[in-house]
Amino acid sequence: MKKLLNTLYVTQPDIYLSLDGENVVAKREEESVLRIPLHNLEAIVAFGYTGASPALMGACAERSIALTFLTMSGRFLASVTGIEKGNVVLRKTQYRVSDSEEGSVRIARNILTGKLHNSRWVLERAARDHELRLDTKRLKDSSYALAENIHLLNKATTLAGLRGIEGESAVRYYSVFNDLILQNKDSFIFEGRNRRPPLDRVNGLLSFVYTLLSNDVAAALSAVGLDPFVGFLHRDRPGRRSLALDVMEELRAPLADRFVLTLINNRQVNPAGFVKKENGAIIMKDETRRTVISAWQERKQDQITHPFLKEKISWGLVPHAQSLLLARHLRGDLEEYPPFLWK
C-alpha cells in the first residue's frame, strides 16, 4: 500500500515557490520563509496567483509530486503533471466505458450506492451518539429514505435516472444536516447547500474541504494511471476533473462532512474567522484557512479498516485505495467496482 506522505499547502497569496537543490523553498519578496525536502512531499497545493519556478515544476513532474494551483477561494486553476503512470490500455478502456451509457451506469450506480450508504450512516451515528440532544426521529426518517433510495438505484438503467435519485437523496440528507451542528448554532447555520459563492459559514467550510478532498482524489487517480478529467457519473466539461468528482462522492459524508462538523462542534473554528463580501459570499480568513488545513492533515492520519480490502489504512489513503480498485475493475480484475461502504 502506498505510504502516506505530506501535502504542502501554501495559503498566503504573496508566496513564490522555487527549487534549491532537492528542496522546495517558499519565498516572500526574495526572503526564504520555508524549506522542505522534496522527498518528504506527495503534493503541493498553492492558493493564490504568485506561482512557482519552472525548475520546481520540472522537479515535481519528474518525482510525480502533484503541484496544483487554486484561487484563494479554492477554485481550480491548473496542475502540473509529469509522465503518466499506468498504461495507455487502461486509459483507453476508461474512455470507452465513459462513452458507453451502460458501462457508465454500472460504475455510477456503485458510486452512488456508496454515497447514499455513507450519508445514511452519518445520520445513524449522530442519532446514536447524541440521542439526548437530537430529534432522532427526524434523523431516522431521513436515514430510512436514503435506504429506500439505495434500492431504487438498483432499478435505474440510465444516468439521468441515477442523478434523479441522487438529487432527491441530497435534499433528504441536507434537510437534517443543520441538526448535526451542536455548537455556535446561532452563527453556524445551514439552511441548504449553496456554492459559487457559498453564502454562509457552513457552506464556506464545506466548499473548501470538498476542494481539498477533490485534489487528493485527483492525485490518487493520476497515480494509478487513470484520467481524473474523464468520469462516469459527472460528464465531460472543459476544466472539470469529472472522475475525481465521481470518486469523492463516496467520501463526502464520512470524511469531509464529518470533518466540518467536528471543526464546528469542537469549536476549532469560530464565527469571527470569516468575512462577508459585497456579493454576499462568505470566505475564510487566512488564520481560519490555516486551522482547517492543519486539522485536515491530522484527520487524514486517522486509521480505519478498509471495508473491502480488510486492511488497516489511514483516511488519507482511502482515495488511493478506491482509485486502485477502480483501475482493477476497468482492467477486468474485478467484476464490479467496490464502493467504499463506511460504518
Side-chain angles (χ1 to χ4, degrees), residues 209-243:
V209 173
Y210 288 161
T211 296
L212 300 180
L213 177 57
S214 174
N215 288 331
D216 290 344
V217 173
L221 291 167
S222 294
V224 302
L226 291 168
D227 187 339
F229 288 88
V230 179
F232 306 106
L233 175 64
H234 295 84
R235 308 312 290 169
D236 297 345
R237 181 184 299 174
R240 182 169 75 175
R241 295 178 290 187
S242 297
L243 186 58

Side-chain angles (χ1 to χ4, degrees), residues 36 44 56 102 115 170 182 220-221 234 282 293 295 297 309 326:
I36 298 179
I44 300 172
L56 177 63
E102 180 181 356
K115 178 179 182 177
L182 305 177
L221 291 167
H234 295 84
I282 298 293
I293 288 173
Q297 290 290 74
L309 298 174
L326 178 57

